[in-house]
Coordinates of all heavy atoms in Angstrom, one line a residue:
M1 N -9.7 13.6 17.1 CA -9.2 12.8 15.9 C -10.0 11.5 15.9 O -10.2 10.9 16.9 CB -7.7 12.6 16.1 CG -7.1 11.8 15.0 SD -5.4 11.4 15.2 CE -4.7 13.0 15.5
S2 N -10.5 11.2 14.7 CA -11.3 10.0 14.6 C -10.4 8.9 13.9 O -9.6 9.2 13.1 CB -12.5 10.2 13.8 OG -12.2 10.5 12.4
Y3 N -10.5 7.7 14.4 CA -9.8 6.6 13.8 C -10.8 5.6 13.2 O -11.9 5.5 13.6 CB -9.0 5.8 14.9 CG -7.9 6.6 15.5 CD1 -8.1 7.4 16.6 CD2 -6.6 6.6 14.9 CE1 -7.0 8.2 17.1 CE2 -5.6 7.3 15.4 CZ -5.8 8.1 16.5 OH -4.7 8.8 17.0
R4 N -10.3 4.9 12.2 CA -11.1 3.8 11.7 C -10.2 2.6 11.5 O -9.0 2.8 11.2 CB -11.8 4.2 10.4 CG -10.9 4.3 9.2 CD -11.7 4.7 8.0 NE -10.8 5.0 6.8 CZ -10.9 4.3 5.7 NH1 -11.8 3.4 5.5 NH2 -10.1 4.5 4.7
E5 N -10.7 1.5 11.6 CA -10.0 0.3 11.5 C -10.1 -0.3 10.1 O -11.2 -0.5 9.6 CB -10.5 -0.7 12.5 CG -9.6 -1.9 12.8 CD -10.1 -2.7 14.0 OE1 -10.3 -2.1 15.1 OE2 -10.3 -3.9 13.7
L6 N -9.0 -0.7 9.5 CA -9.1 -1.4 8.2 C -8.7 -2.8 8.4 O -7.7 -3.1 9.0 CB -8.1 -0.7 7.2 CG -8.5 0.6 6.5 CD1 -7.5 1.0 5.5 CD2 -9.8 0.4 5.8
S7 N -9.4 -3.6 7.8 CA -9.1 -5.1 7.7 C -9.3 -5.5 6.3 O -10.4 -5.3 5.8 CB -10.0 -5.8 8.7 OG -9.7 -7.2 8.7
W8 N -8.3 -6.1 5.8 CA -8.4 -6.6 4.4 C -8.6 -8.1 4.3 O -7.9 -8.8 5.1 CB -7.2 -6.1 3.6 CG -7.1 -4.7 3.4 CD1 -7.8 -3.8 2.7 CD2 -6.1 -3.8 4.0 NE1 -7.4 -2.5 2.8 CE2 -6.3 -2.5 3.6 CE3 -5.0 -4.1 4.9 CZ2 -5.5 -1.4 4.0 CZ3 -4.2 -3.0 5.3 CH2 -4.5 -1.7 4.9
E9 N -9.3 -8.5 3.3 CA -9.4 -9.9 3.0 C -8.1 -10.2 2.1 O -8.0 -9.8 1.0 CB -10.6 -10.3 2.2 CG -11.9 -10.1 3.0 CD -12.0 -11.2 4.1 OE1 -11.5 -12.3 3.8 OE2 -12.6 -10.9 5.1
E10 N -7.2 -11.0 2.7 CA -5.9 -11.2 2.0 C -6.1 -11.9 0.7 O -5.4 -11.6 -0.3 CB -5.0 -12.0 2.9 CG -4.5 -11.1 4.1 CD -3.6 -11.8 5.1 OE1 -2.9 -12.7 4.6 OE2 -3.7 -11.5 6.2
E11 N -7.1 -12.8 0.6 CA -7.3 -13.5 -0.7 C -7.8 -12.6 -1.8 O -7.4 -12.7 -2.9 CB -8.3 -14.6 -0.5 CG -7.8 -15.8 0.3 CD -8.8 -16.9 0.5 OE1 -9.8 -16.9 -0.2 OE2 -8.6 -17.7 1.4
S12 N -8.7 -11.6 -1.4 CA -9.1 -10.7 -2.4 C -8.0 -9.7 -2.8 O -8.0 -9.3 -4.0 CB -10.4 -9.9 -1.9 OG -10.0 -9.1 -0.8
I13 N -7.1 -9.4 -1.9 CA -6.0 -8.5 -2.2 C -5.1 -9.2 -3.2 O -4.7 -8.7 -4.2 CB -5.2 -8.1 -1.0 CG1 -6.1 -7.3 0.0 CG2 -3.9 -7.4 -1.3 CD1 -6.5 -5.9 -0.5
Q14 N -4.8 -10.5 -2.9 CA -4.0 -11.3 -3.8 C -4.6 -11.4 -5.2 O -3.9 -11.4 -6.2 CB -3.7 -12.7 -3.2 CG -2.8 -12.6 -2.0 CD -2.6 -13.9 -1.3 OE1 -3.3 -14.9 -1.6 NE2 -1.7 -14.0 -0.4
E15 N -5.9 -11.6 -5.2 CA -6.6 -11.7 -6.5 C -6.5 -10.4 -7.3 O -6.2 -10.4 -8.5 CB -8.1 -12.0 -6.3 CG -8.9 -12.2 -7.5 CD -10.3 -12.6 -7.2 OE1 -10.6 -13.4 -6.3 OE2 -11.2 -12.1 -7.9
E16 N -6.6 -9.3 -6.6 CA -6.4 -8.0 -7.3 C -5.0 -7.8 -7.8 O -4.8 -7.3 -8.9 CB -6.8 -6.8 -6.4 CG -8.3 -6.7 -6.1 CD -9.1 -6.4 -7.4 OE1 -8.7 -5.6 -8.2 OE2 -10.1 -7.1 -7.6
L17 N -4.0 -8.2 -7.0 CA -2.6 -8.1 -7.4 C -2.3 -8.9 -8.6 O -1.4 -8.6 -9.4 CB -1.7 -8.4 -6.2 CG -1.7 -7.4 -5.1 CD1 -0.8 -7.9 -3.9 CD2 -1.2 -6.1 -5.5
R18 N -3.0 -10.1 -8.7 CA -2.7 -10.9 -9.9 C -3.1 -10.2 -11.2 O -2.6 -10.5 -12.3 CB -3.4 -12.2 -9.8 CG -2.7 -13.2 -8.9 CD -3.3 -14.6 -9.0 NE -4.6 -14.8 -8.3 CZ -4.8 -15.1 -7.0 NH1 -3.7 -15.2 -6.3 NH2 -6.0 -15.2 -6.5
K19 N -4.0 -9.3 -11.1 CA -4.5 -8.5 -12.3 C -3.5 -7.5 -12.8 O -3.5 -7.1 -13.9 CB -5.8 -7.8 -12.0 CG -7.0 -8.8 -11.7 CD -8.2 -8.0 -11.3 CE -9.3 -8.9 -10.9 NZ -10.5 -8.2 -10.4
V20 N -2.6 -7.1 -11.9 CA -1.5 -6.1 -12.2 C -0.5 -6.8 -13.1 O 0.1 -7.8 -12.6 CB -0.9 -5.5 -11.0 CG1 0.2 -4.5 -11.4 CG2 -2.0 -4.8 -10.1
P21 N -0.2 -6.3 -14.3 CA 0.7 -7.0 -15.2 C 2.2 -7.0 -14.8 O 3.0 -7.8 -15.3 CB 0.5 -6.3 -16.5 CG 0.0 -4.9 -16.2 CD -0.8 -5.1 -14.9
H22 N 2.6 -6.1 -13.9 CA 4.0 -6.0 -13.5 C 4.2 -6.5 -12.1 O 3.2 -6.8 -11.4 CB 4.4 -4.5 -13.6 CG 4.2 -3.9 -14.9 ND1 4.9 -4.2 -16.1 CD2 3.2 -2.9 -15.3 CE1 4.4 -3.5 -17.1 NE2 3.4 -2.7 -16.7
N23 N 5.4 -6.5 -11.6 CA 5.7 -6.9 -10.3 C 5.7 -5.8 -9.3 O 6.1 -5.9 -8.2 CB 7.1 -7.6 -10.2 CG 7.0 -9.0 -10.8 OD1 5.9 -9.7 -10.7 ND2 8.0 -9.4 -11.5
F24 N 5.3 -4.6 -9.8 CA 5.3 -3.4 -8.9 C 4.0 -2.6 -9.2 O 3.4 -2.8 -10.3 CB 6.5 -2.6 -9.1 CG 6.8 -2.2 -10.5 CD1 6.2 -1.0 -11.1 CD2 7.6 -2.9 -11.4 CE1 6.4 -0.7 -12.4 CE2 7.8 -2.6 -12.7 CZ 7.2 -1.5 -13.2
L25 N 3.6 -1.8 -8.3 CA 2.5 -0.9 -8.4 C 2.8 0.5 -8.2 O 3.7 0.9 -7.5 CB 1.4 -1.3 -7.4 CG 0.8 -2.7 -7.5 CD1 1.6 -3.6 -6.5 CD2 -0.6 -2.7 -7.1
S26 N 2.0 1.4 -8.8 CA 2.1 2.8 -8.5 C 1.3 3.1 -7.2 O 0.6 2.2 -6.7 CB 1.5 3.6 -9.7 OG 0.1 3.4 -9.7
V27 N 1.5 4.3 -6.7 CA 0.7 4.7 -5.5 C -0.8 4.6 -5.8 O -1.6 4.0 -5.0 CB 1.1 6.1 -5.1 CG1 0.1 6.6 -4.0 CG2 2.5 6.1 -4.5
N28 N -1.2 5.0 -7.0 CA -2.6 5.0 -7.3 C -3.2 3.5 -7.4 O -4.3 3.2 -7.0 CB -2.9 5.8 -8.6 CG -2.8 7.2 -8.4 OD1 -3.0 7.8 -7.3 ND2 -2.6 8.0 -9.5
Q29 N -2.3 2.7 -8.0 CA -2.8 1.3 -8.1 C -2.9 0.6 -6.7 O -3.8 -0.1 -6.5 CB -1.8 0.5 -9.0 CG -1.8 0.8 -10.5 CD -0.7 0.2 -11.2 OE1 0.4 0.2 -10.8 NE2 -1.1 -0.4 -12.4
A30 N -1.9 0.9 -5.9 CA -1.9 0.3 -4.5 C -3.2 0.8 -3.8 O -3.8 0.1 -3.1 CB -0.6 0.7 -3.8
A31 N -3.4 2.1 -3.9 CA -4.6 2.7 -3.3 C -5.9 2.1 -3.8 O -6.8 1.8 -3.0 CB -4.6 4.2 -3.5
E32 N -6.0 1.8 -5.1 CA -7.1 1.2 -5.6 C -7.3 -0.2 -5.1 O -8.4 -0.7 -4.7 CB -7.0 1.2 -7.1 CG -8.3 0.7 -7.8 CD -8.2 0.8 -9.3 OE1 -7.7 1.8 -9.9 OE2 -8.7 -0.2 -10.0
V33 N -6.2 -1.0 -5.0 CA -6.3 -2.4 -4.5 C -6.7 -2.4 -3.1 O -7.6 -3.2 -2.7 CB -4.9 -3.1 -4.6 CG1 -4.9 -4.3 -3.8 CG2 -4.6 -3.3 -6.1
L34 N -6.2 -1.4 -2.3 CA -6.5 -1.4 -0.8 C -7.8 -0.6 -0.5 O -8.2 -0.5 0.6 CB -5.3 -0.8 0.0 CG -4.0 -1.6 -0.1 CD1 -2.9 -0.9 0.6 CD2 -4.2 -3.0 0.4
Q35 N -8.3 0.1 -1.5 CA -9.5 0.9 -1.4 C -9.3 2.0 -0.3 O -10.1 2.2 0.6 CB -10.7 0.0 -1.1 CG -11.1 -0.9 -2.2 CD -12.3 -1.8 -1.9 OE1 -12.8 -1.8 -0.8 NE2 -12.7 -2.5 -2.9
V36 N -8.2 2.7 -0.5 CA -7.9 3.8 0.4 C -7.5 5.0 -0.6 O -7.2 4.8 -1.8 CB -6.7 3.6 1.4 CG1 -7.2 2.5 2.3 CG2 -5.4 3.2 0.7
N37 N -7.3 6.2 0.0 CA -6.9 7.3 -0.7 C -5.4 7.2 -1.1 O -4.6 6.7 -0.2 CB -7.1 8.6 0.1 CG -6.9 9.9 -0.6 OD1 -5.8 10.2 -1.0 ND2 -8.0 10.6 -0.7
P38 N -5.0 7.6 -2.3 CA -3.5 7.6 -2.6 C -2.7 8.3 -1.6 O -1.5 7.9 -1.3 CB -3.5 8.3 -4.0 CG -4.8 8.0 -4.6 CD -5.8 8.1 -3.4
L39 N -3.2 9.4 -1.0 CA -2.4 10.1 0.1 C -2.1 9.2 1.3 O -1.1 9.3 1.9 CB -3.1 11.4 0.5 CG -2.4 12.3 1.5 CD1 -1.0 12.7 0.9 CD2 -3.2 13.5 1.8
T40 N -3.0 8.3 1.6 CA -2.8 7.4 2.7 C -1.7 6.5 2.4 O -0.8 6.2 3.2 CB -4.1 6.6 2.9 OG1 -5.2 7.5 3.3 CG2 -3.9 5.5 4.0
V41 N -1.6 6.0 1.1 CA -0.5 5.1 0.7 C 0.8 5.9 0.8 O 1.8 5.4 1.3 CB -0.7 4.6 -0.7 CG1 0.5 3.8 -1.2 CG2 -2.0 3.7 -0.8
K42 N 0.8 7.1 0.4 CA 2.0 8.0 0.4 C 2.5 8.2 1.9 O 3.7 8.1 2.2 CB 1.8 9.3 -0.2 CG 1.8 9.2 -1.7 CD 1.7 10.6 -2.4 CE 1.7 10.5 -3.9 NZ 1.6 11.8 -4.5
R43 N 1.5 8.4 2.8 CA 1.9 8.5 4.2 C 2.5 7.3 4.7 O 3.5 7.3 5.5 CB 0.6 8.9 5.0 CG 0.1 10.3 4.8 CD -1.1 10.6 5.7 NE -1.5 11.9 5.4 CZ -2.8 12.2 5.3 NH1 -3.8 11.3 5.4 NH2 -3.2 13.5 5.0
W44 N 2.0 6.1 4.4 CA 2.6 4.8 4.8 C 4.0 4.7 4.3 O 4.9 4.3 5.0 CB 1.8 3.6 4.4 CG 0.5 3.5 5.0 CD1 0.2 3.9 6.3 CD2 -0.7 2.9 4.5 NE1 -1.1 3.5 6.6 CE2 -1.7 3.0 5.5 CE3 -1.0 2.3 3.3 CZ2 -3.0 2.5 5.3 CZ3 -2.3 1.8 3.1 CH2 -3.3 1.9 4.1
I45 N 4.3 5.2 3.1 CA 5.6 5.2 2.5 C 6.5 6.1 3.2 O 7.6 5.8 3.6 CB 5.6 5.5 1.0 CG1 4.8 4.4 0.2 CG2 7.0 5.7 0.4 CD1 4.5 4.8 -1.3
W46 N 6.0 7.3 3.4 CA 6.9 8.3 4.1 C 7.2 7.9 5.6 O 8.3 8.3 6.1 CB 6.1 9.7 4.1 CG 5.9 10.3 2.8 CD1 6.7 10.1 1.7 CD2 4.9 11.2 2.4 NE1 6.2 10.8 0.6 CE2 5.1 11.5 1.0 CE3 3.8 11.7 3.0 CZ2 4.2 12.3 0.3 CZ3 2.9 12.5 2.3 CH2 3.2 12.8 1.0
K47 N 6.3 7.2 6.2 CA 6.5 6.7 7.6 C 7.4 5.4 7.6 O 7.6 4.9 8.7 CB 5.2 6.5 8.3 CG 4.4 7.7 8.6 CD 3.1 7.3 9.3 CE 2.3 8.5 9.7 NZ 1.0 8.1 10.3
V48 N 7.7 5.0 6.4 CA 8.5 3.7 6.2 C 7.8 2.5 6.8 O 8.3 1.6 7.3 CB 9.9 3.9 6.9 CG1 10.8 2.8 6.4 CG2 10.6 5.2 6.6
E49 N 6.5 2.6 6.7 CA 5.6 1.4 7.0 C 5.4 0.5 5.8 O 5.2 -0.7 6.0 CB 4.3 1.9 7.6 CG 4.4 2.7 8.9 CD 3.1 3.2 9.4 OE1 2.0 2.9 8.8 OE2 3.1 4.0 10.3
L50 N 5.4 1.1 4.6 CA 5.2 0.4 3.4 C 6.5 0.6 2.5 O 6.7 1.7 2.1 CB 4.0 0.9 2.6 CG 3.7 0.3 1.3 CD1 3.5 -1.2 1.4 CD2 2.4 1.0 0.7
P51 N 7.2 -0.5 2.3 CA 8.5 -0.3 1.5 C 8.1 0.1 0.1 O 7.2 -0.5 -0.5 CB 9.1 -1.7 1.6 CG 8.5 -2.4 2.8 CD 7.1 -1.8 2.9
A52 N 8.9 1.0 -0.4 CA 8.7 1.5 -1.8 C 10.0 2.2 -2.2 O 10.9 2.4 -1.4 CB 7.6 2.5 -1.8
W53 N 10.1 2.4 -3.5 CA 11.3 3.1 -4.0 C 10.8 4.2 -5.0 O 9.7 4.1 -5.5 CB 12.3 2.2 -4.7 CG 11.8 1.6 -6.0 CD1 12.1 2.1 -7.3 CD2 11.0 0.4 -6.2 NE1 11.5 1.3 -8.2 CE2 10.9 0.3 -7.6 CE3 10.4 -0.5 -5.4 CZ2 10.1 -0.8 -8.2 CZ3 9.7 -1.5 -5.9 CH2 9.6 -1.6 -7.3
N54 N 11.6 5.2 -5.1 CA 11.3 6.3 -6.0 C 12.1 6.1 -7.3 O 13.2 5.7 -7.3 CB 11.7 7.6 -5.3 CG 11.0 8.8 -5.9 OD1 11.3 9.2 -7.0 ND2 10.0 9.3 -5.2
T55 N 11.5 6.6 -8.4 CA 12.1 6.4 -9.7 C 13.2 7.4 -10.0 O 13.9 7.3 -11.0 CB 11.0 6.5 -10.8 OG1 10.3 7.8 -10.7 CG2 10.0 5.4 -10.7
R56 N 13.3 8.4 -9.1 CA 14.5 9.4 -9.2 C 15.3 9.4 -7.9 O 14.7 9.2 -6.8 CB 13.9 10.8 -9.5 CG 13.4 10.9 -10.9 CD 13.0 12.3 -11.3 NE 13.8 13.4 -10.7 CZ 13.6 14.6 -11.1 NH1 12.6 15.0 -11.9 NH2 14.3 15.6 -10.5
D57 N 16.5 9.6 -8.0 CA 17.4 9.6 -6.9 C 17.1 10.8 -5.9 O 17.4 10.7 -4.7 CB 18.9 9.7 -7.3 CG 19.4 8.5 -7.9 OD1 18.8 7.4 -7.7 OD2 20.3 8.5 -8.7
D58 N 16.6 11.9 -6.5 CA 16.3 13.0 -5.6 C 14.9 13.0 -4.9 O 14.5 13.9 -4.2 CB 16.4 14.3 -6.4 CG 15.4 14.4 -7.6 OD1 14.5 13.5 -7.7 OD2 15.5 15.4 -8.3
G59 N 14.2 11.9 -5.2 CA 12.9 11.7 -4.5 C 11.7 12.4 -5.2 O 10.6 12.4 -4.7
K60 N 12.0 13.0 -6.3 CA 10.9 13.8 -7.0 C 10.3 13.0 -8.1 O 9.5 13.5 -8.9 CB 11.5 15.1 -7.5 CG 12.0 16.0 -6.5 CD 12.5 17.3 -7.0 CE 13.0 18.2 -5.9 NZ 13.5 19.5 -6.4
G61 N 10.5 11.7 -8.2 CA 9.9 10.8 -9.2 C 8.7 10.2 -8.7 O 8.0 10.7 -7.8
H62 N 8.4 9.1 -9.3 CA 7.2 8.3 -8.9 C 7.5 7.2 -7.9 O 8.6 6.6 -8.1 CB 6.5 7.7 -10.2 CG 6.1 8.8 -11.1 ND1 5.0 9.5 -11.0 CD2 6.7 9.2 -12.3 CE1 4.9 10.4 -12.0 NE2 5.9 10.2 -12.8
W63 N 6.6 6.9 -7.0 CA 6.8 5.8 -6.1 C 6.4 4.5 -6.7 O 5.3 4.5 -7.4 CB 6.1 6.1 -4.8 CG 6.7 7.2 -4.0 CD1 6.2 8.5 -3.8 CD2 7.9 7.1 -3.2 NE1 7.1 9.2 -3.0 CE2 8.1 8.3 -2.6 CE3 8.8 6.1 -2.9 CZ2 9.2 8.6 -1.8 CZ3 9.8 6.3 -2.0 CH2 10.0 7.6 -1.5
R64 N 7.1 3.5 -6.4 CA 6.8 2.1 -6.9 C 6.8 1.2 -5.7 O 7.7 1.3 -4.8 CB 7.7 1.6 -8.0 CG 7.7 2.4 -9.2 CD 6.3 2.3 -9.9 NE 6.2 3.1 -11.1 CZ 5.5 4.2 -11.3 NH1 4.8 4.6 -10.2 NH2 5.5 4.8 -12.4
I65 N 5.8 0.3 -5.6 CA 5.7 -0.6 -4.5 C 5.7 -2.1 -5.1 O 4.9 -2.4 -6.0 CB 4.3 -0.4 -3.8 CG1 4.3 1.1 -3.3 CG2 4.1 -1.4 -2.6 CD1 2.9 1.7 -3.3
A66 N 6.5 -2.9 -4.6 CA 6.6 -4.3 -5.1 C 5.3 -5.0 -4.6 O 4.8 -4.8 -3.5 CB 7.8 -5.0 -4.5
K67 N 4.8 -5.9 -5.4 CA 3.6 -6.7 -5.0 C 3.8 -7.4 -3.7 O 3.0 -7.4 -2.8 CB 3.2 -7.7 -6.1 CG 2.6 -7.1 -7.4 CD 2.2 -8.3 -8.3 CE 1.6 -7.8 -9.6 NZ 1.3 -8.9 -10.5
K68 N 5.0 -8.0 -3.6 CA 5.3 -8.8 -2.4 C 5.3 -7.9 -1.2 O 4.8 -8.2 -0.1 CB 6.7 -9.4 -2.6 CG 7.1 -10.3 -1.4 CD 6.2 -11.6 -1.4 CE 6.8 -12.5 -0.3 NZ 5.8 -13.6 -0.1
S69 N 5.8 -6.6 -1.3 CA 5.8 -5.7 -0.2 C 4.4 -5.3 0.2 O 4.1 -5.2 1.4 CB 6.5 -4.4 -0.6 OG 7.9 -4.7 -0.8
L70 N 3.5 -5.2 -0.8 CA 2.1 -4.8 -0.4 C 1.4 -6.0 0.2 O 0.7 -5.8 1.2 CB 1.4 -4.4 -1.7 CG 0.0 -3.8 -1.5 CD1 0.2 -2.5 -0.7 CD2 -0.7 -3.5 -2.8
E71 N 1.7 -7.2 -0.2 CA 1.1 -8.4 0.4 C 1.6 -8.5 1.9 O 0.7 -8.8 2.8 CB 1.5 -9.7 -0.3 CG 0.8 -9.8 -1.7 CD 1.3 -11.0 -2.4 OE1 2.4 -11.6 -2.1 OE2 0.7 -11.4 -3.4
E72 N 2.8 -8.3 2.1 CA 3.4 -8.4 3.5 C 2.8 -7.3 4.4 O 2.5 -7.5 5.5 CB 4.9 -8.3 3.4 CG 5.5 -9.6 2.9 CD 7.0 -9.5 2.6 OE1 7.6 -8.4 2.9 OE2 7.6 -10.5 2.2
F73 N 2.7 -6.1 3.8 CA 2.1 -5.0 4.5 C 0.7 -5.3 5.0 O 0.3 -5.1 6.1 CB 2.1 -3.7 3.6 CG 1.4 -2.5 4.2 CD1 2.1 -1.7 5.1 CD2 0.1 -2.2 3.8 CE1 1.4 -0.6 5.7 CE2 -0.5 -1.1 4.4 CZ 0.2 -0.3 5.3
V74 N -0.1 -5.9 4.1 CA -1.5 -6.2 4.4 C -1.5 -7.3 5.5 O -2.3 -7.2 6.5 CB -2.3 -6.7 3.2 CG1 -3.6 -7.4 3.5 CG2 -2.5 -5.6 2.2
Q75 N -0.7 -8.3 5.4 CA -0.6 -9.4 6.4 C -0.2 -8.8 7.8 O -0.8 -9.1 8.8 CB 0.4 -10.4 6.0 CG 0.0 -11.3 4.8 CD 1.1 -12.2 4.3 OE1 2.2 -12.0 4.7 NE2 0.7 -13.0 3.4
N76 N 0.8 -7.9 7.8 CA 1.2 -7.3 9.0 C 0.1 -6.4 9.6 O -0.1 -6.5 10.9 CB 2.5 -6.5 8.8 CG 3.7 -7.3 8.5 OD1 3.7 -8.5 8.9 ND2 4.7 -6.7 7.9
R77 N -0.5 -5.6 8.8 CA -1.6 -4.8 9.3 C -2.8 -5.6 9.9 O -3.3 -5.3 10.9 CB -2.2 -3.9 8.2 CG -1.3 -2.7 7.9 CD -1.5 -1.7 9.0 NE -0.6 -0.6 8.7 CZ -0.7 0.6 9.2 NH1 -1.7 0.9 10.0 NH2 0.2 1.6 8.9
N78 N -3.1 -6.7 9.2 CA -4.2 -7.5 9.6 C -3.9 -8.2 10.9 O -4.7 -8.3 11.8 CB -4.6 -8.6 8.6 CG -5.4 -8.0 7.5 OD1 -5.9 -6.9 7.6 ND2 -5.6 -8.7 6.4
S79 N -2.6 -8.7 11.1 CA -2.3 -9.4 12.3 C -2.1 -8.5 13.5 O -2.3 -8.9 14.6 CB -1.0 -10.2 12.0 OG 0.1 -9.4 11.8
M80 N -1.7 -7.2 13.2 CA -1.5 -6.3 14.3 C -2.8 -5.6 14.7 O -2.9 -5.0 15.8 CB -0.4 -5.3 13.9 CG 0.9 -5.9 13.8 SD 2.2 -4.8 13.2 CE 2.2 -3.4 14.2
N81 N -3.7 -5.5 13.7 CA -5.0 -4.8 13.9 C -4.8 -3.4 14.4 O -5.4 -3.0 15.4 CB -5.9 -5.6 14.9 CG -7.3 -5.3 14.7 OD1 -7.7 -4.7 13.7 ND2 -8.2 -5.8 15.6
I82 N -4.0 -2.7 13.7 CA -3.6 -1.3 14.0 C -4.8 -0.3 13.6 O -5.3 -0.4 12.5 CB -2.3 -0.9 13.3 CG1 -1.2 -1.7 13.9 CG2 -2.1 0.6 13.5 CD1 0.1 -1.4 13.2
E83 N -5.0 0.6 14.5 CA -6.0 1.7 14.1 C -5.2 2.9 13.6 O -4.1 3.2 14.0 CB -6.8 2.1 15.4 CG -7.7 1.1 15.9 CD -8.5 1.6 17.1 OE1 -8.2 2.7 17.6 OE2 -9.4 0.9 17.4
F84 N -5.7 3.5 12.6 CA -5.1 4.7 12.0 C -6.1 5.6 11.3 O -7.3 5.2 11.2 CB -4.0 4.3 11.0 CG -4.5 3.4 9.9 CD1 -5.0 3.9 8.7 CD2 -4.6 2.0 10.1 CE1 -5.5 3.1 7.8 CE2 -5.1 1.2 9.1 CZ -5.5 1.7 8.0
N85 N -5.7 6.8 11.0 CA -6.7 7.7 10.3 C -6.3 7.9 8.9 O -5.2 7.6 8.5 CB -6.9 9.0 11.1 CG -5.6 9.8 11.1 OD1 -4.5 9.3 10.7 ND2 -5.6 10.9 11.8

């Protein structure tokens, strides 16, 4: 299994988040901001590492991520320097 380390420039992430017109992002928008695959973002959500909510009670809707949650996620990841695949 190969691992790669992600480190984000928090200022550039905040700049990208300012471009989003709402206070929440879709999985695809979050993936674009973080420059990762949308499946990676979904895995973080499923592992309860990235707080998000589903637009349907049965979990079959769309995932939404608050801008603040994404900022905190980036800060936590950067400070912990976690390796993942």
Side-chain angles (χ1 to χ4, degrees):
M1 181 181 306
S2 67
Y3 291 92
R4 71 181 177 121
E5 193 173 304
L6 281 183
S7 178
W8 294 290
E9 292 290 329
E10 291 177 32
E11 289 179 17
S12 65
I13 298 293
Q14 290 173 349
E15 186 177 318
E16 288 299 314
L17 289 176
R18 281 193 285 274
K19 296 176 185 177
V20 178
H22 307 288
N23 287 325
F24 55 86
L25 297 94
S26 68
V27 167
N28 288 337
Q29 288 172 316
E32 187 175 320
V33 167
L34 299 177
Q35 297 180 352
V36 297
N37 189 296
L39 185 55
T40 300
V41 174
K42 285 184 180 180
R43 285 182 184 137
W44 290 330
I45 293 169
W46 296 332
K47 291 180 179 181
V48 195
E49 295 175 10
L50 177 59
W53 71 94
N54 200 286
T55 57
R56 286 184 40 175
D57 290 336
D58 62 4
K60 294 181 180 180
H62 300 281
W63 288 103
R64 296 294 179 252
I65 304 147
K67 285 182 181 182
K68 184 71 175 165
S69 294
L70 193 62
E71 288 174 346
E72 290 172 358
F73 175 78
V74 167
Q75 290 170 351
N76 291 339
R77 283 283 177 163
N78 281 348
S79 66
M80 292 171 55
N81 206 11
I82 293 176
E83 293 183 349
F84 55 92
N85 62 358

